[in-house]
Amino acid sequence: MKRQEIKPATGKLGALVVGLGGAVASTFVVGTLAARQGKAKPIGSITQLATIRLGKRNENKFPKIKEVVPLADLNDIVFGGWDIFPENVYEAARHAEVLEQKDLDLVKDELQIIKPMPGAFDQNWVKRLNGTHIKKAATRWELVEALRKDIRDFKATNGCDRIVMIWSASTETYIPLCEEHQSLAALEKAMKDNVADKISPSMCYAYAAVAEGAPFIMGAPNLCVDTPAMWEFSAKQNVPICGKDFKTGQTMMKTVLAPMLKTRMLGLNGWFSTNILGNRDGEVLDDPDSFKTKEVSKLSVIDTILQPDLYPDLYGNIYHKVRINYYPPRKDNKEGWDNIDIVGWMGYPMQLKVDFLCRDSILAAPLVLDLILFTDLAQRAGFSGIQDWLSFYFKSPMHDFEHIPEHDLFIQYTKLKNTLRKMIGEETIDYLD
Ligand SMILES: NC(=O)c1ccc[n+]([C@@H]2O[C@H](COP(=O)([O-])OP(=O)(O)OC[C@H]3O[C@@H](n4cnc5c(N)ncnc54)[C@H](O)[C@@H]3O)[C@@H](O)[C@H]2O)c1
């Protein structure tokens, strides 16, 4: 197989994080800085730890992905971004209370100099937050212009060769696809006409990134870049985009357990999922309009995996409920319960219970790192538009109107690895050998 033309990862890579002062973002920055100095292990990161089988099974060749795929080196990443609060990343990480003081101290000096640029914010889109570090602009188009200038200035000041932008900011209120999102021309017109209830701040960030030739990753369930307008724009600009909503705790479990039931042709009557969470994300999601965006993202998984149309006897009548409860004492340490009512031979009922005592940002941080490195790779390989080979990382993988999404974690993983194999000119693996 011919090796794909991939530009080398020379020079610095600017990682611009929207929501730089958040729990996930600050945990990502601290961990990456510590890992590159050998002071912590990047556990959970595919790009840093995973191996990839090359060749036939009897060849026994399992190099690390990063040894054979030309990813950017952690030492070449420069961190920056935006937040609506002015704290530097050290202060923000203390505030988030995810990591212990001893771990922040490992890289304290570097954290203190990483400061967010003022955010593009509109409280109508995130009701529970009152930001103080905010851009002033008369229209959405002006906001885009200001963000584009930020990107160019950051790139020049830090001598970056390339930029990737990732949204790790709060979940915006729910909005369905509207006229304004159907084409690039309609989107630009709505930005210039300042249609503020249809054009969210996240759409301005995404537009600015793509306009500046930077890949954009949507880590929350916001509609944002998942519109025909942005698919069109990213294809036109030759820029990769991907999303939505990092697949971390409960949904990761769902996309492992649901394929298991289906593979064994076991039926399902109901799936009740509930969570308690006490961080700022939990507070934002306590607002029904922000929760609606999350709920839509979390609910889509089971139906797509189980295909009730094909298996009406097994999956034709499932009661699926998802709840998130804001419970401050737990902070970032979310507890997620699942009660799963399954059906076996001759219709006999059984139950599965999952109690996942996880740490939200600890699970999400390695995903942020991988997505930055993989979208940068995609850009250098000449990929553009929706990157469905990165579906592995998302609860609600983006797809156009002609394709159905793939939710099964292990099919997603095979797709990711086969894409990497193809990129480097290796045979893809179908497990028949
Ligand atoms: N941690 C997980 O497991 C997980 C999984 C899937 C999705 N997510 C999503 O990732 C996002 C980040 O989660 P978190 O726990 O870090 O939340 P957080 O509330 O700690 O951080 C969000 C940050 O975004 C900032 N912000 C909000 N609007 C902004 C804007 N317009 N511009 C710039 N900054 C803005 C906030 O000030 C805050 O610092 C959330 O949307 C969350 O739903 C998290």
Side-chain angles (χ1 to χ4, degrees):
M1 199 171 272
K2 199 169 157 289
R3 195 184 166 93
Q4 206 154 330
E5 198 66 48
I6 307 176
K7 290 196 191 119
T10 45
K12 290 189 185 159
L13 172 65
L16 288 180
V17 188
V18 189
L20 183 63
V24 172
S26 56
T27 307
F28 151 69
V29 175
V30 176
T32 308
L33 285 171
R36 77 184 184 191
Q37 294 172 23
K39 294 175 178 167
K41 291 202 166 43
I43 295 178
S45 162
I46 309 294
T47 57
Q48 303 309 301
L49 299 182
T51 58
I52 186 166
R53 179 184 131 196
L54 301 180
K56 302 268 180 248
R57 242 182 332 150
N58 59 6
E59 290 177 39
N60 207 13
K61 240 165 77 182
F62 295 94
K64 274 191 166 180
I65 288 176
K66 66 175 188 175
E67 288 163 3
V68 287
V69 176
L71 296 170
D73 192 284
L74 295 192
N75 289 305
D76 291 331
I77 299 181
V78 188
F79 302 92
W82 297 265
D83 207 287
I84 59 171
F85 298 103
E87 287 109 332
N88 64 47
V89 178
Y90 175 74
E91 292 160 347
R94 274 180 60 99
H95 191 115
E97 293 184 275
V98 175
L99 300 169
E100 293 176 19
Q101 186 62 44
K102 70 174 174 41
D103 293 317
L104 301 184
D105 287 343
L106 296 174
V107 286
K108 182 174 175 183
D109 295 347
E110 285 148 287
L111 294 174
Q112 279 175 326
I113 52 175
I114 307 173
K115 296 183 179 139
M117 299 179 266
F121 186 68
D122 175 348
Q123 210 196 3
N124 291 318
W125 288 87
V126 187
K127 302 222 170 60
R128 297 281 156 102
L129 293 184
N130 271 306
T132 52
H133 187 56
I134 291 171
K135 288 194 185 330
K136 297 216 178 351
T139 63
R140 293 295 197 242
W141 190 252
E142 271 187 27
L143 265 187
V144 167
E145 303 262 305
L147 291 166
R148 290 187 64 174
K149 182 171 180 319
D150 285 349
I151 299 171
R152 286 194 295 267
D153 289 350
F154 182 88
K155 202 171 171 185
T157 313
N158 294 285
C160 291
D161 192 51
R162 305 168 319 280
I163 297 284
V164 169
M165 191 192 294
I166 185 162
W167 178 278
S168 180
S170 310
T171 302
E172 295 177 328
T173 57
Y174 178 74
I175 184 179
L177 199 62
C178 309
E179 249 339 280
E180 288 79 358
H181 314 129
Q182 294 289 2
S183 70
L184 179 58
L187 182 78
E188 289 176 342
K189 180 171 182 319
M191 286 175 161
K192 287 173 186 160
D193 294 347
N194 202 34
V195 186
D197 60 339
K198 301 282 167 31
I199 306 295
S200 67
S202 72
M203 292 178 188
C204 298
Y205 283 101
Y207 185 98
V210 173
E212 292 299 319
F216 182 86
I217 303 153
M218 176 38 80
N222 305 354
L223 181 68
C224 184
V225 78
D226 195 11
T227 64
M230 288 306 292
W231 307 339
E232 183 186 337
F233 193 33
S234 57
K236 183 175 161 205
Q237 296 286 104
N238 277 318
V239 171
I241 53 172
C242 59
K244 311 179 290 202
D245 208 7
F246 301 130
K247 176 152 89 175
T248 48
Q250 198 165 52
T251 309
M252 177 178 71
M253 294 300 294
K254 245 176 216 173
T255 60
V256 172
L257 292 175
M260 173 191 80
L261 297 176
K262 179 153 158 235
T263 308
R264 285 297 174 98
M265 288 286 106
L266 292 168
L268 179 70
N269 277 340
W271 197 312
F272 181 79
S273 304
T274 189
N275 297 274
I276 53 174
L277 173 68
N279 60 15
R280 198 192 276 154
D281 186 31
E283 193 179 350
V284 167
L285 294 173
D286 209 35
D287 170 57
D289 292 338
S290 287
F291 176 65
K292 169 91 176 143
T293 314
K294 196 60 132 184
E295 189 183 29
V296 170
S297 168
K298 279 181 167 258
L299 283 179
S300 65
V301 169
I302 288 187
D303 268 3
T304 322
I305 293 179
L306 297 178
Q307 298 177 294
D309 300 353
L310 298 183
Y311 303 102
D313 290 345
L314 298 179
Y315 309 121
N317 189 20
I318 301 168
Y319 190 90
H320 186 196
K321 189 90 195 162
V322 179
R323 289 193 183 283
I324 298 178
N325 305 286
Y326 178 50
Y327 180 62
R330 282 297 173 89
K331 297 180 182 154
D332 200 61
N333 298 347
K334 176 153 78 184
E335 183 160 3
W337 289 273
D338 286 281
N339 172 76
I340 311 157
D341 284 294
I342 66 176
V343 187
W345 189 243
M346 295 173 72
Y348 278 76
M350 296 174 268
Q351 291 182 19
L352 258 171
K353 311 270 180 193
V354 180
D355 183 4
F356 192 0
L357 288 103
C358 64
R359 291 172 187 263
D360 244 14
S361 304
I362 295 295
L363 290 171
L367 273 51
V368 174
L369 173 62
D370 284 356
L371 283 164
I372 289 171
L373 296 182
F374 278 144
T375 50
D376 171 55
L377 171 76
Q379 168 95 324
R380 285 182 285 110
F383 292 8
S384 63
I386 302 171
Q387 302 297 299
D388 63 356
W389 65 287
L390 296 175
S391 295
F392 176 72
Y393 290 101
F394 298 108
K395 276 194 200 59
S396 188
M398 273 170 58
H399 57 96
D400 61 20
F401 296 134
E402 280 103 61
H403 292 83
I404 53 164
E406 179 54 68
H407 282 286
D408 178 324
L409 189 77
F410 296 104
I411 296 180
Q412 292 172 331
Y413 193 45
T414 303
K415 188 170 170 110
L416 184 148
K417 282 189 164 178
N418 271 338
T419 305
L420 294 175
R421 289 186 183 103
K422 264 184 113 159
M423 275 185 182
I424 58 170
E426 290 284 334
E427 292 296 330
T428 57
I429 287 182
D430 59 12
Y431 300 99
L432 291 179
D433 58 328

